[in-house]
Every structure is written in structure tokens, then in C-alpha cells.
Amino acid sequence: MSDKPRKWNIPLTYAPKIPGVLNGSIWQTIRVGRKFSVGDLVSFHGWSGRPYRSPWSFRTPYAALKAVIPITILTDGIEAPREFRPWSLLDGIARLDGIEPPTGAELYRVLSGMHKIPDDGIEAQILRWRPVV
């Protein structure tokens, strides 16, 4: 029995990120949950209208995940294995994720706008892939 990589079709709804994913300049996303593994194949798509109620507007080729970093999103920052960083020190992660403006504070605003972040945090993963252009 061979271990075939899992394939995922992942929606992109944060508009400032989409052009960078399409042109290969953005190769990271943060996703709630812990279902992805290194080697999984990911393809990204957009919606032509209302998310989940309209056809896809684009779809990228599949790319293999090169890094999957488990994190916990907290109200005061992100906790990763062996370290905690407050939002004020997460500008680099925001830049890699295509957040506009690329600040930790804006990253928190975007993430908390998409997900309710409870006091004890929410499990998530930082996904990184090699861009396919």
C-alpha cells in the first residue's frame, strides 16, 4: 500500500492575498485546524460571487506543502512550538501571508474577523508551499 499525498482544494477569500498567490509571490497561508501534513497537495480557488454559493473564479495548480507549522492563535499573539510571539512581533508572518498592511495587528484583525478566537485560543497551522507559476 502506498501513501499517496492528500489533495486539498482551498478557498481564498481575503482579496489582497489572491494576486500574490496567483503570481507566486505569496506562498503561505494560515488555516484553522490541524488536518494538513507536509507533502499534501494544495490548490487554491476563488469564488465568482458569494462564497460556497457560486462557481469558482480561478483555480491554481496543485503544489506540495513544504512546511506545516502547528500554532495556536490567541487574543494576544501566536503560540508556536517552543515560542510565543505577541501580535506586535508578527509583521514578518503577516507579510508572508499577504496581509495589507503587513502588520501583526492587521493579521490579528483579519484572523479574528474570520474566526471567533476563544480565550484559550484556536488551533491552526501555517502552511507553506513552493509556488507554481
Side-chain angles (χ1 to χ4, degrees):
M1 181 170 142
S2 68
D3 287 326
K4 291 174 70 173
R6 293 178 294 176
K7 288 185 174 182
W8 303 94
N9 292 301
I10 302 173
L12 289 178
T13 57
Y14 180 66
K17 177 184 220 150
I18 293 170
V21 170
L22 293 176
N23 71 26
S25 64
I26 295 174
W27 36 267
Q28 171 184 289
T29 191
I30 297 173
R31 296 291 154 155
V32 167
R34 297 274 171 95
K35 64 184 181 181
F36 298 98
S37 300
V38 170
D40 283 359
L41 301 173
V42 294
S43 172
F44 298 94
H45 68 84
W47 302 103
S48 60
R50 190 170 171 202
Y52 301 99
R53 292 184 170 49
S54 63
W56 290 356
S57 59
F58 67 85
R59 181 173 169 191
T60 67
Y62 282 102
L65 291 177
K66 300 299 180 188
V68 176
I69 304 161
I71 61 172
T72 302
I73 301 168
L74 302 163
T75 56
D76 56 348
I78 288 180
E79 188 173 74
R82 301 176 300 279
E83 78 173 303
F84 169 81
R85 285 192 187 174
W87 294 110
S88 62
L89 298 179
L90 290 169
D91 294 359
I93 296 294
R95 182 182 47 75
L96 290 174
D97 214 66
I99 302 299
E100 290 295 330
T103 66
E106 185 65 12
L107 176 61
Y108 175 72
R109 191 191 69 71
V110 169
L111 292 173
S112 64
M114 292 180 176
H115 307 283
K116 180 176 178 359
I117 301 174
D119 291 339
D120 60 346
I122 187 168
E123 289 187 338
Q125 294 173 303
I126 297 174
L127 309 179
R128 293 183 179 150
W129 62 92
R130 180 173 295 129
V132 177
V133 181

